[in-house]
Amino acid sequence: MIPDYQSLMLPVLRLAAVGETRVADVAERIADDLQLTPEERDELLPSGRQRVLHNRIHWAKFYMSKAGLIASPARGRFVATDRGRALLDMAPQRIDVPLLMREPGFREFYRNEGGAAEQDAAIAKSLDAAPPHTTPEEQIDAAYVSLTAALRDELLQRILVNSPAFFEQLIVDLLIAMGYGGSHKDAAAQLGRSGDGGVDGIVNEDRLGLDRIYVQAKRYAPGNPVSRPDVNGFVGSLVGLGATKGVFVTTSAFSQPARDYVRHLTQRVILLDGQELADLMIEHGVGVRGYRTVEFKRLDEDFFGEE
């Protein structure tokens, strides 16, 4: 298990006391010492932009630098300061935010960052409080995941209370937003009017209509999964039509036998359950709209580099 960033402060400072080092080198050494699995070493933040271990080491290093324990003599490199080595000579069992709060410089930084209250009494109280164990990026990503999960559930609830015609139109809007169906008018005319048994509609795979995708849509309540016989009927219709590609969309889920069934077919059949449907709606802006954009900036190392 990857330790939280505060638990990593002490081992990071110890390695920095040996000599100049880099986050990548420290991460490899700590991963070896903790016997992390390959999966844990490569685990990414929910954003997929950085490894969790590297991110936590970065923030451990950054916070300790604000307390004067670590310095950065060159780009991408860091080393323990005399103050950091003096702290290690005291053989601390753990280095964390409450310990760093003993340094006036760090208290000022932490107050400005928003980690502590502005009043001195609140700062003193925070010495005994347990600060978050996750890094700022992890907190942002976790909040995003929570908000997206809530939005996903709300989307599915709203779909279920609307009419079947609304659901068909939603599928049209989504397919068009994803680049399928040719024109919106053509897609709307074909979806829901095929009349071919287990097929609800046909859309062009591209604007020229070089290939077609057959669509089946089922509005099922949660807890009522689409079974294999339903999918089998859809595949049978594809075979009868000489079709090779199909998409089965539901607001609920697919049973495991249904999913196992489509894995070895000669036809290419995609099963989209309620969560996947909602995720695609969110990704392509169907039924949702942005209400707040927050841009985060990073230091431009090239700007400060001198030739």
Side-chain angles (χ1 to χ4, degrees), residues 2-305:
I2 303 173
D4 63 78
Y5 79 96
Q6 294 185 84
S7 298
L8 287 169
M9 287 182 179
L10 181 56
V12 168
L13 185 59
R14 285 171 174 164
L15 291 173
V18 175
E20 286 187 25
T21 187
R22 303 178 306 153
V23 168
D25 297 333
V26 169
E28 184 175 357
R29 176 65 182 273
I30 289 177
D32 290 340
D33 291 344
L34 297 176
Q35 297 183 331
L36 297 182
T37 65
E39 293 75 19
E40 289 171 329
R41 294 168 189 252
D42 294 334
E43 182 181 346
L44 298 175
L45 294 171
S47 63
R49 295 180 180 273
Q50 190 179 24
R51 289 186 177 93
V52 172
L53 180 59
H54 286 216
N55 179 258
R56 293 181 181 179
I57 290 173
H58 164 78
W59 282 100
K61 171 185 73 71
F62 177 72
Y63 274 21
M64 287 190 292
S65 70
K66 291 301 180 181
L69 306 181
I70 279 179
S72 297
R75 177 179 175 179
R77 307 188 71 84
F78 62 96
V79 67
T81 63
D82 291 341
R83 186 179 299 175
R85 291 188 174 89
L87 176 61
L88 290 176
D89 289 341
M90 298 171 63
Q93 295 297 309
R94 174 181 170 86
I95 300 176
D96 51 20
V97 169
L99 187 148
L100 300 183
M101 290 287 282
R102 300 174 186 175
E103 296 291 336
F106 184 80
R107 283 204 303 272
E108 181 65 22
F109 154 77
Y110 202 65
R111 175 169 54 198
N112 293 336
E113 187 194 40
E118 294 186 0
Q119 300 299 322
D120 289 340
I123 295 175
K125 183 179 179 181
S126 70
L127 292 173
D128 298 321
H133 293 292
T134 53
T135 68
E137 279 99 339
E138 290 177 291
Q139 295 170 39
I140 293 169
D141 286 347
Y144 176 80
V145 169
S146 297
L147 290 171
T148 301
L151 176 58
R152 185 189 300 120
D153 290 342
E154 189 175 5
L155 280 172
L156 293 175
Q157 291 173 11
R158 295 297 293 271
I159 291 171
L160 289 172
V161 300
N162 278 280
S163 67
F166 175 87
F167 187 41
E168 290 178 0
Q169 185 61 47
L170 184 155
I171 300 301
V172 171
D173 292 341
L174 179 59
L175 291 172
I176 293 297
M178 295 176 66
Y180 299 109
S183 70
H184 198 286
K185 180 180 178 181
D186 290 342
Q190 294 182 82
L191 192 67
R193 299 185 183 180
S194 69
D196 290 314
V199 173
D200 286 335
I202 308 167
V203 294
N204 292 329
E205 186 174 13
D206 55 78
R207 290 189 176 274
L208 296 178
L210 296 175
D211 203 353
R212 288 182 165 187
I213 300 173
Y214 291 75
V215 181
Q216 173 78 301
K218 294 286 188 184
R219 271 195 332 148
Y220 284 179
N224 183 23
V226 175
S227 63
R228 172 170 171 168
D230 292 322
V231 177
N232 190 57
F234 177 55
V235 173
S237 297
L238 296 182
V239 173
L241 294 165
T244 60
K245 299 176 182 178
V247 178
F248 199 129
V249 186
T250 184
T251 51
S252 62
F254 292 94
S255 67
Q256 192 58 49
R259 291 194 176 276
D260 293 339
Y261 172 64
V262 301
R263 289 177 180 171
H264 307 293
L265 296 174
T266 55
Q267 294 84 4
R268 180 64 171 165
V269 177
I270 303 299
L271 304 181
L272 288 180
D273 62 23
Q275 291 207 358
E276 292 167 323
L277 170 62
D279 284 339
L280 287 173
M281 291 176 64
I282 294 169
E283 178 182 351
H284 295 280
V286 176
V288 300
R289 66 177 63 181
Y291 76 99
R292 184 178 182 185
T293 301
V294 180
E295 181 182 18
F296 296 93
K297 298 183 182 294
R298 291 184 182 276
L299 184 73
D300 184 354
E301 294 284 3
D302 294 332
F303 177 84
F304 294 96

